C-alpha cells in the first residue's frame, strides 16, 4: 500500500488548503443476528452547505479506514463493511480546487490513480461491501459506491449525477468502466453523456433505483436503519440481489453510437470530454475493468492538462461564486424592503414577470394595462401557471390558493400602485411609450418606490430624464423564458442612486436570479454581443455566402442553436429593432441587414421551415434574399464573426460596460446559454488567438481558464 500513500502524500503537498473529509469507522451488531459490521461514515465536519469532497488527504483518510476494516475482515472479526455520508450529503466527488492547481501531467495521473487505488480496495475486501447513498452524491461520490458489491439509495436523495463531462472531464474513478458493466451501456450513456450535457441534469433517489444503480430504495426518515435491516437479510441469504444480464453485443455498440449523436448535437466536436468518455465506455464492453481504469487515468490526465477543463472550471466558479457576489453592487444594508410589486403591462412577458415575483417574493402583485380584457388575460395566465404547479405536486392547494389571492389586476394605476415599493414596466420597446408610462407611475407611486424597466436596449438615463426623481429608475432586464434563464442585467442610469440599486440587487437575490451590474450603454451586454455576432453572420450572407455555410461556420463554438434558429426564437422583428437601435449608436460597426428587413416586411417568422423535421431554408425566404457575389469559406466566416465579437467585447470593457471580462462570460452563460465547457466566450477567443489578433492582448491572464504556466 505504500505506493498509494506516497502518491497521495505528493498530491497533498500541492493542495495545502484542502477541506479534509474524514472516514470514521464504527462497529455494531447487525439486526437479525447477522453479525458484527463496520460502517465507514464520510464527514468533513461541516454542515450540508459544505459537502464532503475527495482531495488527496481525504482519499488518504479513506485509505487508512480501509486498512483497518481489511485487517478486521481478514481476521474474521466483521461480516461486512458499509460506506455512508453525513446528514443530507453522501459525497460530491473530487475537490475541484485541487484540480485547478495542477500544473503537470504526472500530478494529474496521480489524482486518477490515487482515487482508483483507494476505491478498488472496497471491491477486493474479504467480506461484502455496501454503499448507502443517504444524500447528494456526485462524481467520485457516486463512484466510491460503484466499487461496493451492493447499494441502497434514499428516496429523499435530491441530486445524483456523474457531472464530469459537463465540466470537461470524464468520470475517472471507475464511472466510465463500472457503470455500463452494472446497468448496461445505454443507461450509462444517458447518465454520463446525456444528463451531463443537458445542463448537468440530476437524478432523484427513485430514478437511481429504477436505473438499477441501487439495489434497494428506502424512505429518507429511517434510511440507514432500513438499509441495515436489508443488509442483514442479504448477508443471511434471505434476500438475493438479481441483476439483469447486460447486452454486450449490438446493443452496446448502438448505445455508444447514440452517445456520439448526443455529443455531436450538443458540443459539435468542440469539446473532447464526451468523446473520451464514450471511447472508454465502448472499450468497457469486454468487461476488463483494469484496462478501463487505466484508460480513465490517461483520459483524466489529458483533460486536466487541457484548456477545455480549465474553461469549464472557470465557468463553474463564475456561476457558483462570482454570481453570488456581483461586482460593483452597493452595500446590502442600503436596500429597502419590498412588500408590494406593480407590473405595468399584462402581455406574456409582463405575466411571466408577475408569476416570478409572486412565487419568489410571496407579496401582493398587481398588473395594469390599457383595457380590462388584457388585464384579465394576464391574471388568468398567472392562475393557470399556478394550477400547473399544483398539478405537478410542486405546491399544495393551500399555497396555490394563497398565491392566486395575492395577484390582482386593475385599470387604474393610482389604485394599483399607491402603496407599491417596486414597479416594473414591460410595455412596447419604444422610448416615448416608456417615458409616458414612468411619468404616470411616478405621479401615483410612493416617493420611495423603485421604477424598474425591462428594456432590452433603450437608455435608462434617457427614460428617467423627464422625471422628478430620476434617481429611483433602474434597468431590470430579464431574459426569455423568464423562468428558465437565470441572468438579470441590472442597469445603473447616470442618476440612479445607491439605495435604489441596492434594492434592485436584493430583489434579484430573492428572485434567485444571477444579477450582473451593467453600465447604461446601448443594448447592455448580451444583446449587444449577440447582435454584433448575428449581424456579422447576416453580413456574410448578404455579401454572397450561402446560408448553410454561414450557419455551419460557427458550429465549433458549440452554441445551443445556430444563429438563424436563435433569430427565429427572438423574432426577426425584434432582432431588426435591436440592430437598428445599435446601428444608430454605433453606425460603423452595427449594420441593418436589407435581407432581414425584407423577411420582416414579408411577415415571415424565421428563415426555416421544418416540414422534414429538420430546419430547411424556406423557399419563400430564399426568394426574398438578394446576395452579392463574395462567397466565403466556413473558416473565413468564422474568422470574421469571431473577430467582430472580440472587437466588440474589447470596446465594451474599455467603456466600462461591466467590471471585467468575467462578467461578460457570466452574462453569456446564464443569459444566452453560451457553452459552459468553453467558459463563455473570452477563454475561447484567447485560446484561438483571436483576442490578440484583434485587440493586441488576451482578455484573461494566463492561468485563468487555461493551464497555469
Amino acid at each position: 500500500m505504500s505506493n498509494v500513500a506516497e502518491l497521495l502524500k505528493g498530491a497533498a503537498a500541492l493542495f495545502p488548503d484542502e477541506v479534509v473529509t474524514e472516514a470514521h469507522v464504527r462497529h455494531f451488531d447487525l439486526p437479525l443476528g447477522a453479525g458484527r459490521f463496520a460502517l465507514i461514515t464520510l464527514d468533513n465536519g461541516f454542515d450540508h452547505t459544505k459537502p464532503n469532497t475527495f482531495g488527496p488527504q481525504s482519499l488518504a483518510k479513506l485509505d487508512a479506514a480501509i486498512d483497518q476494516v481489511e485487517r478486521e475482515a481478514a481476521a474474521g472479526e466483521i461480516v461486512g463493511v458499509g460506506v455512508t455520508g453525513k446528514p443530507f450529503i453522501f459525497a460530491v466527488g473530487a475537490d475541484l480546487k485541487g484540480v485547478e492547481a495542477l500544473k503537470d501531467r504526472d500530478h494529474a495521473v496521480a489524482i486518477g490513480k490515487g482515487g482508483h487505488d483507494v476505491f478498488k480496495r472496497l471491491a477486493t475486501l474479504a467480506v461484502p461491501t455496501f454503499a448507502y447513498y443517504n444524500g447528494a452524491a456526485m462524481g467520485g461520490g457516486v463512484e466510491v459506491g460503484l466499487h461496493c458489491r451492493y447499494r441502497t439509495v434514499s428516496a429523499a436523495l435530491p441530486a445524483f449525477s456523474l457531472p464530469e463531462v459537463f465540466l470537461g472531464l470524464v468520470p475517472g474513478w471507475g464511472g466510465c468502466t463500472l457503470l455500463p458493466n452494472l446497468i448496461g451501456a445505454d443507461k450509462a450513456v444517458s447518465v454520463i453523456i446525456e444528463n451531463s450535457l443537458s445542463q448537468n441534469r440530476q437524478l432523484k433517489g427513485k430514478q437511481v433505483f429504477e436505473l438499477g444503480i441501487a439495489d434497494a430504495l428506502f424512505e429518507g426518515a429511517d434510511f440507514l436503519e432500513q438499509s441495515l435491516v436489508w443488509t442483514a437479510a442479504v448477508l443471511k441469504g434471505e434476500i438475493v440481489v438479481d441483476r439483469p444480464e447486460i447486452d454486450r453485443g449490438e446493443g452496446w455498440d448502438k448505445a455508444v453510437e447514440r452517445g456520439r449523436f448526443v455529443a455531436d448535437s450538443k458540443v459539435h466536436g468542440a469539446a473532447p470530454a464526451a468523446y473520451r468518455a464514450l471511447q472508454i465506455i465502448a472499450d468497457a464492453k469486454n468487461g476488463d475493468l483494469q484496462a478501463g481504469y487505466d484508460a480513465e487515468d490517461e483520459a483524466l490526465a489529458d483533460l486536466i492538462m487541457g484548456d477545455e477543463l480549465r474553461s469549464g472550471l472557470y465557468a463553474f466558479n463564475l456561476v457558483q461564486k462570482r454570481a453570488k457576489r456581483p461586482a460593483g453592487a452597493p452595500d446590502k444594508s442600503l436596500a429597502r424592503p419590498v412588500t408590494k410589486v406593480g407590473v405595468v403591462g399584462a402581455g406574456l412577458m409582463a405575466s411571466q414577470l408577475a408569476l416570478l415575483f409572486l412565487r419568489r417574493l410571496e407579496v401582493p402583485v398587481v398588473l395594469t394595462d390599457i383595457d380590462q380584457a388584457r388585464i384579465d388575460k394576464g391574471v388568468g395566465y398567472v392562475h393557470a401557471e399556478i394550477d400547473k404547479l399544483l398539478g405537478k405536486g410542486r405546491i399544495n392547494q393551500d399555497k396555490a390558493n394563497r398565491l392566486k389571492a395575492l395577484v390582482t389586476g386593475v385599470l387604474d394605476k393610482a389604485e394599483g400602485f399607491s402603496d407599491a415599493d417596486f414597479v416594473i414596466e414591460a410595455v412596447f420597446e419604444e422610448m416615448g411609450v416608456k417615458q409616458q408610462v414612468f411619468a404616470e407611475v411616478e405621479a401615483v407611486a410612493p416617493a420611495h418606490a423603485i421604477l424598474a424597466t425591462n428594456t432590452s436596449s433603450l437608455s435608462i438615463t434617457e427614460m428617467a430624464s423627464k422625471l422628478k426623481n430620476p434617481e429611483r429608475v433602474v434597468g431590470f432586464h430579464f431574459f426569455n423564458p423568464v423562468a428558465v434563464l437565470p441572468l438579470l442585467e441590472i442597469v445603473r442610469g447616470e442618476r440612479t442612486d445607491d439605495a435604489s440599486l441596492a434594492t434592485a440587487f436584493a430583489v434579484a437575490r430573492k428572485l434567485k436570479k444571477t444579477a450582473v451590474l451593467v453600465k447604461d450603454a446601448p443594448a447592455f451586454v448580451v444583446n449587444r454581443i449577440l447582435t454584433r455576432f448575428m449581424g456579422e453572420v447576416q453580413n456574410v450572407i448578404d455579401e454572397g455566402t450561402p446560408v448553410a455555410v454561414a450557419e455551419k461556420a460557427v458550429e465549433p463554438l458549440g452554441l445551443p442553436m445556430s444563429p438563424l434558429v436563435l433569430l427565429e426564437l427572438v423574432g426577426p422583428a425584434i432582432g431588426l429593432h435591436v440592430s437598428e437601435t445599435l446601428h444608430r449608436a454605433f453606425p460603423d460597426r452595427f449594420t441593418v441587414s436589407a435581407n432581414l428587413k425584407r423577411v420582416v416586411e414579408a411577415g415571415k417568422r424565421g428563415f426555416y421551415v421544418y416540414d422534414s423535421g429538420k430546419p430547411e431554408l424556406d423557399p419563400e425566404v430564399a426568394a426574398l434574399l438578394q446576395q452579392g457575389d463574395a462567397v466565403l469559406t466556413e473558416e473565413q466566416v468564422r474568422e470574421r464573426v469571431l473577430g467582430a465579437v472580440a472587437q466588440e467585447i474589447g470596446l465594451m470593457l474599455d467603456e466600462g460596460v461591466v467590471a471585467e471580462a468575467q462578467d461578460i462570460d457570466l452574462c453569456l452563460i446564464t443569459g444566452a446559454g453560451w457553452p459552459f465547457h468553453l467558459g463563455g466566450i473570452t477563454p475561447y477567443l484567447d485560446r484561438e488567438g483571436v483576442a490578440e489578433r484583434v485587440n493586441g492582448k488576451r482578455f484573461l491572464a494566463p492561468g485563468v481558464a487555461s493551464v497555469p504556466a
Side-chain angles (χ1 to χ4, degrees), residues 131-256:
Y132 307 128
Y133 291 124
N134 63 304
M138 294 170 205
V142 168
E143 289 168 306
V144 73
L146 293 177
H147 284 270
C148 296
R149 196 183 301 177
Y150 303 102
R151 285 156 296 280
T152 66
V153 66
S154 165
L157 180 145
F160 183 104
S161 64
L162 289 169
E164 288 83 354
V165 167
F166 175 64
L167 293 169
L169 280 172
V170 297
W173 285 342
C176 289
T177 303
L178 291 171
L179 194 63
N181 278 295
L182 175 68
I183 61 173
D186 196 60
K187 289 177 181 174
V189 162
S190 294
V191 175
I192 294 169
I193 307 295
E194 196 170 14
N195 288 358
S196 266
L197 293 179
S198 300
Q199 295 300 312
N200 192 17
R201 186 191 296 142
Q202 301 293 318
L203 299 168
K204 300 271 194 281
K206 187 164 180 269
Q207 294 166 297
V208 174
F209 171 64
E210 286 167 351
L211 280 167
I213 299 171
D215 303 306
L217 175 76
F218 299 112
E219 288 305 318
D222 56 354
F223 169 70
L224 192 56
E225 290 84 343
Q226 291 295 328
S227 292
L228 292 171
V229 170
W230 182 86
T231 298
V234 169
L235 290 171
K236 290 187 76 175
E238 293 168 11
I239 290 176
V240 176
V241 174
D242 283 322
R243 298 201 177 112
E245 190 79 20
I246 300 297
D247 180 345
R248 295 186 184 278
E250 202 185 334
W252 194 290
D253 301 333
K254 278 192 168 159
V256 173

Side-chain angles (χ1 to χ4, degrees), residues 333-654:
S333 64
L334 297 172
R336 295 189 286 259
V338 171
T339 59
K340 184 179 179 182
V341 173
V343 181
V344 185
L348 182 59
M349 190 67 179
S351 303
Q352 287 184 67
L353 295 180
L355 179 69
L356 179 69
F357 279 93
L358 186 66
R359 285 196 65 200
R360 298 283 184 237
L361 271 58
E362 294 191 23
V363 299
V365 174
V366 60
L367 295 119
T368 68
D369 211 316
I370 52 173
D371 60 55
Q372 193 62 44
R374 289 177 198 225
I375 292 168
D376 292 344
K377 190 177 176 188
V379 173
Y381 169 87
V382 176
H383 282 202
E385 291 299 309
I386 292 168
D387 285 335
K388 281 184 199 167
L389 293 169
L390 177 64
K392 289 177 187 165
R394 303 267 294 278
I395 56 173
N396 60 24
Q397 187 65 58
D398 180 49
K399 178 88 172 265
N401 294 346
R402 200 162 71 248
L403 290 176
K404 282 183 182 178
L406 284 170
V407 63
T408 53
V410 291
L411 268 170
D412 183 4
K413 289 187 182 70
E415 183 189 338
F417 300 156
S418 63
D419 54 351
D421 306 301
F422 191 102
V423 179
I424 184 164
E425 68 75 25
V427 298
F428 185 64
E429 191 74 349
E430 205 278 307
M431 183 58 78
V433 176
K434 305 261 193 199
Q435 286 179 330
Q436 185 191 337
V437 161
F438 270 163
E440 290 169 6
V441 172
E442 187 181 49
V444 296
H448 69 270
I450 303 297
L451 307 186
T453 169
N454 183 45
T455 183
S456 59
S457 61
L458 300 176
S459 165
I460 309 302
T461 303
E462 190 184 339
M463 212 178 289
S465 61
K466 297 181 178 175
L467 298 178
K468 291 196 242 2
N469 300 108
E471 69 278 358
R472 56 182 172 148
V473 176
V474 64
F476 216 61
H477 179 219
F478 290 88
F479 289 78
N480 222 344
V482 170
V484 177
L485 291 173
L487 181 64
L488 183 51
E489 291 178 337
I490 296 187
V491 190
R492 179 173 210 153
E494 281 173 22
R495 307 276 297 275
T496 309
D497 64 19
D498 281 354
S500 300
L501 204 58
T503 306
F505 273 99
V507 169
R509 211 164 20 254
K510 284 190 177 160
L511 294 175
K512 297 188 178 170
K513 291 294 179 188
T514 297
V516 175
L517 180 62
V518 180
K519 186 180 169 184
D520 187 17
F524 317 127
V525 176
V526 173
N527 283 346
R528 179 162 164 186
I529 293 169
L530 287 185
T531 304
R532 186 76 198 274
F533 173 75
M534 309 266 283
E536 207 56 45
V537 172
Q538 282 162 345
N539 286 345
V540 299
I541 292 170
D542 291 358
E543 290 163 19
T545 299
V547 170
V549 173
E551 289 268 80
K552 204 162 186 317
V554 294
E555 270 189 6
L557 275 165
L559 299 174
M561 60 190 80
S562 75
L564 294 182
V565 173
L566 174 63
L567 183 67
E568 203 166 292
L569 187 73
V570 170
I574 293 173
L576 180 66
H577 175 74
V578 177
S579 69
E580 287 169 341
T581 303
L582 280 160
H583 176 66
R584 282 195 295 275
F586 310 114
D588 55 327
R589 300 193 312 278
F590 286 84
T591 52
V592 177
S593 165
N595 278 324
L596 180 58
K597 228 174 193 167
R598 288 185 198 98
V599 169
V600 172
E601 282 163 3
K604 302 301 289 184
R605 298 298 303 273
F607 277 63
Y608 293 124
V609 287
Y610 296 85
D611 300 338
S612 65
K614 281 191 187 144
E616 287 170 13
L617 189 61
D618 181 342
E620 290 178 18
V621 170
L624 294 170
L625 298 182
Q626 293 179 18
Q627 293 180 280
D629 52 12
V631 180
L632 301 183
T633 64
E634 284 177 27
E635 202 168 310
Q636 289 170 322
V637 172
R638 188 158 56 248
E639 195 171 299
R640 255 191 60 181
V641 171
L642 291 177
V645 170
Q647 182 194 32
E648 203 58 40
I649 292 171
L651 291 165
M652 289 165 72
L653 292 171
D654 291 346

Side-chain angles (χ1 to χ4, degrees), residues 671-693:
W674 216 273
F676 209 86
H677 60 264
L678 296 182
I681 182 65
T682 68
Y684 183 80
L685 295 171
D686 284 346
R687 193 161 65 240
E688 296 295 309
V690 180
E692 290 202 49
R693 174 170 62 79

